[in-house]
Amino acid sequence: MTPQPVDVPPVDIPPVETQARTLAGYADASRLRQVHDRDWVLDQVTGAPRTLVDLGSGIGQLLQAALDRFPSLERAVGLERSPHRIAEATTRLSASADRVELHEADLTTPGPISHRPDVVTMTSVLHWLYPHEDRIFTWVREHLAPDGSFLLTTYHPEADAAGLGGEDDIVRDALTDLGIGRTVVPARFTGHGILPIATRTRTTDDLHALLERHFTVAAVHDRDAVVSGVDAPGYARFHAATFGDYYARLVEPARRPAFFRAVGAAAARRQDERGHVSSMTVRLWRLAHRG
Ligand SMILES: C[S@@+](CC[C@H](N)C(=O)[O-])C[C@H]1O[C@@H](n2cnc3c(N)ncnc32)[C@H](O)[C@@H]1O
């Protein structure tokens, strides 16, 4: 049976396509999920670090927290692909400008830097580097100071048989609401060259095997990342700030405002039905040079 489009009411959100294009609004949006990684990760830093490099540094929140927390830090370096995010980080970190370096970089083809950091962090980024994670692991191995730590967080949504899970599921609900048959959604991902996030995320076992080629896995810690207590417009903003137009490309440009509304509505429905929008394991890896 062909699904009928449901009427998704418009919600009052800022120009969400612009927001998605520039990944704006992350300071607010990250309160829902990613912000909780920050102290968790920095709690793993021991001693008095002098140089910290954050990979995929976004709007500079982790760098800011590290600078506040570790007066010993002489250099806080961010590598980030998005120029919009670098601009926002530059403003955020302006009070510590003499201790900060921000570089536009693609972590799938990372170039050398002149530092030997005693701490390297990478939070909520690795899935975007799939299937080339090896390249950044090699880079970290080559740059990390001999006694340094590499602190990495990875998200692990459960994948279904088609390789969809986590945000992919919410997007599938939204597309279904827009009249796209539920069963054809995986083929639509493939047809638009969009790799599901749950496919981009390797299992913890696969990742362990990959990491062990480069590092000693000194410790792992898991927590549940539960996204909850958000309404439809709030979730649409979270989605746009976190995923940009990655998924929105599944629909033609004229339908993108409706797409973002539908994503918000799908999330709100899950909140009503399940008491939360999503829940997944986040793993924090503490990695060191191999002995
Ligand atoms: C979900 S955000 C995480 C930001 C920050 N690390 C945090 O924990 O809040 C993912 C970040 O990785 C960046 N990113 C994604 N792919 C990248 C790549 N190939 N090279 C550099 N940065 C990348 C994005 O621009 C974005 O800022």
Side-chain angles (χ1 to χ4, degrees):
M1 195 172 73
T2 309
Q4 294 303 304
V6 300
D7 187 24
V8 179
V11 285
D12 181 22
I13 50 177
V16 75
E17 290 160 299
T18 312
Q19 188 194 346
R21 223 174 299 124
T22 60
L23 290 165
Y26 190 73
D28 257 355
S30 61
R31 276 189 251 275
L32 273 180
R33 184 153 68 195
Q34 298 91 337
V35 86
H36 304 289
D37 287 354
R38 207 165 304 146
D39 284 330
W40 194 40
V41 166
L42 293 179
D43 284 347
Q44 294 291 318
V45 176
T46 52
R50 295 174 60 181
T51 304
L52 180 147
V53 173
D54 188 30
L55 300 171
S57 47
I59 59 173
Q61 294 156 302
L62 185 141
L63 293 175
Q64 184 177 39
L67 285 160
D68 288 348
R69 211 166 145 159
F70 305 113
S72 59
L73 215 51
E74 292 164 8
R75 219 42 20 225
V77 182
L79 303 187
E80 165 59 47
R81 185 176 57 182
S82 157
H84 298 288
R85 290 217 156 147
I86 294 207
E88 196 171 334
T90 303
T91 306
R92 174 178 306 276
L93 299 167
S94 57
S96 311
D98 54 336
R99 293 198 286 156
V100 171
E101 273 176 41
L102 298 169
H103 300 287
E104 200 173 319
D106 183 343
L107 300 176
T108 61
T109 52
I113 58 167
S114 57
H115 303 292
R116 292 282 277 166
D118 30 29
V119 182
V120 175
T121 51
M122 180 157 71
T123 60
S124 309
V125 176
L126 191 68
H127 47 282
W128 293 119
L129 310 186
Y130 176 90
H132 302 299
E133 300 98 320
D134 242 351
R135 297 180 189 167
I136 197 63
F137 295 158
T138 302
W139 185 97
V140 175
R141 197 183 66 215
E142 287 171 352
H143 285 80
L144 189 66
D147 292 329
S149 296
F150 174 30
L151 303 170
L152 168 72
T153 65
T154 55
Y155 282 67
H156 298 280
E158 276 174 33
D160 66 13
L164 273 65
E167 197 69 13
D168 311 318
D169 274 337
I170 295 169
V171 167
R172 174 163 40 197
D173 288 354
L175 293 175
T176 306
D177 285 354
L178 292 175
I180 293 163
R182 204 174 171 75
T183 54
V184 303
V185 169
R188 196 168 178 107
F189 272 67
T190 309
H192 285 73
I194 311 273
L195 213 50
I197 289 286
T199 300
R200 289 181 161 278
T201 312
R202 295 182 195 266
T203 64
T204 51
D205 285 348
D206 288 352
L207 213 42
H208 199 283
L210 196 56
L211 284 163
E212 276 198 320
R213 287 196 220 149
H214 300 271
F215 307 103
T216 294
V217 178
V220 295
H221 304 277
D222 288 342
R223 73 176 179 88
D224 283 334
V226 180
V227 171
S228 181
V230 63
D231 60 10
Y235 198 84
R237 279 194 290 273
F238 166 80
H239 179 96
T242 300
F243 299 99
D245 58 10
Y246 184 71
Y247 290 108
R249 287 183 279 132
L250 287 162
V251 300
E252 52 275 29
R255 297 187 82 195
R256 288 185 189 161
F259 169 80
F260 285 109
R261 286 197 299 273
V263 165
R269 225 164 33 233
R270 282 168 167 248
Q271 176 75 45
D272 285 347
E273 289 164 8
R274 309 170 182 201
H276 61 260
V277 177
S278 65
S279 169
M280 68 185 77
T281 301
V282 190
R283 174 158 290 193
L284 166 55
W285 310 77
R286 187 153 58 79
L287 304 151
H289 279 293
R290 291 171 70 161

